Amino acid sequence: MLSLALGSLAAGIFDVKHYFHLQLVPHISRDHQYWRLLTNQLVFGNSSELLLAETLMYNVAVNVERRFGSRKFGVFTLGVSMFLLFAFVILLYRTGVNYIPPGPLTVIFAILYQHYRIIPAVYHFRISYFSISNKAFDYFLACILIISDPPGTLLASLIGIAVGQLYRSDLVNLKSYRISPSLERFCKRFLLPLIGSTRPPTRPVRALPDFVDASEVHIRDQTTARASERGAGGVGPSGTGEGTPSGQNDDVGLPGSTQQPSTQPSAVSQWVDTLTGRRGADGVYVPAPAEITVLMAMFPGVPRETVVRALEQSRGDASGAVDHIFRSINS
């Protein structure tokens, strides 16, 4: 899709669009310009067709590629569709058909036919007495693309549907072909770095809260504990029954206070740390018991210390902890 957009833009800027349409006579039969079979599929002649085609491919081609797989989808789009387009043009030449406009219309409509056959509708809705699915919007865009430059676009779309039906019927065992492993390795090595990573980012398995300063959490816990003690009848923290004197500073542990707060975390703080996986006071991640239990069940022969160390090093990431355990086993 990106190369199609950039190629169409470059063809318009440099005024070379006349090199991309396909004519059996005189380009193929007399001048032997067989390279037009490839260049015809690379660009569109105008921006409206490009916009419609990009929208249609985004809605349709992605789902079909996921069902086919990249190797099978590549053979279907690049090899089979282009070869059968040339075969149909030769067969229809006697009927007066000689011009195919630029653009991969055959490939798009062949993919659209596969989408119609193998991708189910997500939802349906009614307009008056007509029941319509979500696929109707894609078909509407395809109809606009068909009538954009007749009769060439109409012919290319019909050839694409015929190609899709022929591929679907598997009369000549076309479904068994795949891109060769050497070509796949070449694309992964040289073309994939130009596109970038296609894998989605790794999402954490646990929803962690925003980072909160440990000192603020400690001050909040101390303030909550003193308020609970005063509300319980003035029982002091030492359990002696002595309440806090009215003249004594109540803001113990707050900024500006002269009395040092206790370094022992409260029960609420420990409970929150267990639920959220917050780091301990020394900066080390404290794994939850449930995480340790799950990994111990997965690796019954691994000591508990190894599992805890793996969770601490991976900061609670289960896949990272599994990698650490495997490395410790192999080492």
Side-chain angles (χ1 to χ4, degrees):
M1 293 175 60
L2 181 61
S3 61
L4 184 62
L6 294 178
S8 301
L9 180 62
I13 293 176
F14 297 102
D15 195 18
V16 291
K17 293 182 180 180
H18 54 279
Y19 289 110
F20 295 95
H21 69 275
L22 179 62
Q23 286 183 250
L24 185 62
V25 178
H27 295 156
I28 304 299
S29 61
R30 188 191 69 185
D31 300 334
H32 305 290
Q33 298 178 355
Y34 298 106
W35 49 267
R36 286 183 178 268
L37 296 174
L38 177 61
T39 58
N40 176 256
Q41 307 293 316
L42 298 180
V43 303
F44 276 99
N46 54 70
S47 58
S48 59
E49 292 181 357
L50 175 63
L51 177 60
L52 292 172
E54 291 282 2
T55 306
L56 193 59
M57 290 181 66
Y58 181 80
N59 295 336
V60 172
V62 175
N63 296 325
V64 175
E65 183 179 2
R66 289 173 179 173
R67 294 293 296 271
F68 276 20
S70 299
R71 296 180 62 186
K72 181 179 179 181
F73 185 77
V75 171
F76 171 68
T77 55
L78 301 180
V80 176
S81 299
M82 292 171 56
F83 173 76
L84 294 179
L85 169 64
F86 182 57
F88 273 102
V89 169
I90 294 178
L91 293 176
L92 297 175
Y93 173 69
R94 297 297 181 181
T95 63
V97 176
N98 189 41
Y99 173 79
I100 300 295
L105 294 178
T106 306
V107 176
I108 291 175
F109 278 88
I111 296 174
L112 183 63
Y113 181 81
Q114 302 298 325
H115 182 270
Y116 165 73
R117 291 298 301 271
I118 65 178
I119 305 298
V122 178
Y123 60 88
H124 292 78
F125 60 94
R126 298 184 64 87
I127 298 180
S128 184
Y129 298 100
F130 302 98
S131 179
I132 305 175
S133 68
N134 63 301
K135 292 185 177 182
F137 301 103
D138 300 329
Y139 301 150
F140 177 73
L141 294 178
C143 291
I144 298 177
L145 197 57
I146 289 175
I147 62 176
S148 61
D149 189 12
T153 52
L154 176 61
L155 174 63
S157 61
L158 293 178
I159 293 175
I161 295 175
V163 168
Q165 188 173 10
L166 180 61
Y167 186 86
R168 184 71 179 173
S169 62
D170 201 20
L171 294 177
V172 290
N173 199 23
L174 295 175
K175 294 182 179 180
S176 62
Y177 292 97
R178 301 290 189 275
I179 292 179
S180 63
S182 58
L183 180 58
E184 183 182 7
R185 289 193 297 268
F186 174 81
C187 294
K188 287 183 177 180
R189 182 176 180 181
F190 296 102
L191 300 183
L192 187 59
L194 300 178
I195 301 175
S197 177
T198 57
R199 294 183 178 180
T202 304
R203 298 181 178 179
V205 296
R206 304 170 65 181
L208 301 178
D210 295 336
F211 176 76
V212 180
D213 191 3
S215 60
E216 296 181 4
V217 176
H218 183 72
I219 292 173
R220 189 185 304 118
D221 293 338
Q222 292 292 328
T223 306
T224 305
R226 288 195 307 274
S228 301
E229 293 164 1
R230 288 195 297 267
V235 180
S238 60
T240 58
E242 298 178 359
T244 304
S246 58
Q248 188 176 355
N249 185 14
D250 292 336
D251 296 332
V252 178
L254 294 176
S257 175
T258 57
Q259 184 176 354
Q260 297 296 329
S262 175
T263 58
Q264 182 68 24
S266 63
V268 177
S269 178
Q270 295 178 359
W271 179 70
V272 171
D273 290 342
T274 303
L275 291 181
T276 61
R278 188 177 295 135
R279 294 178 298 178
D282 55 352
V284 178
Y285 176 83
V286 180
E291 297 175 332
I292 301 175
T293 304
V294 170
L295 291 182
M296 289 292 294
M298 294 174 60
F299 302 95
V302 178
R304 179 184 176 87
E305 293 77 10
T306 305
V307 174
V308 173
R309 189 184 309 109
L311 287 171
E312 291 176 352
Q313 293 177 357
S314 62
R315 299 292 182 181
D317 186 11
S319 59
V322 171
D323 293 338
H324 282 293
I325 294 175
F326 277 125
R327 285 196 294 268
S328 64
I329 295 175
N330 296 330
S331 60

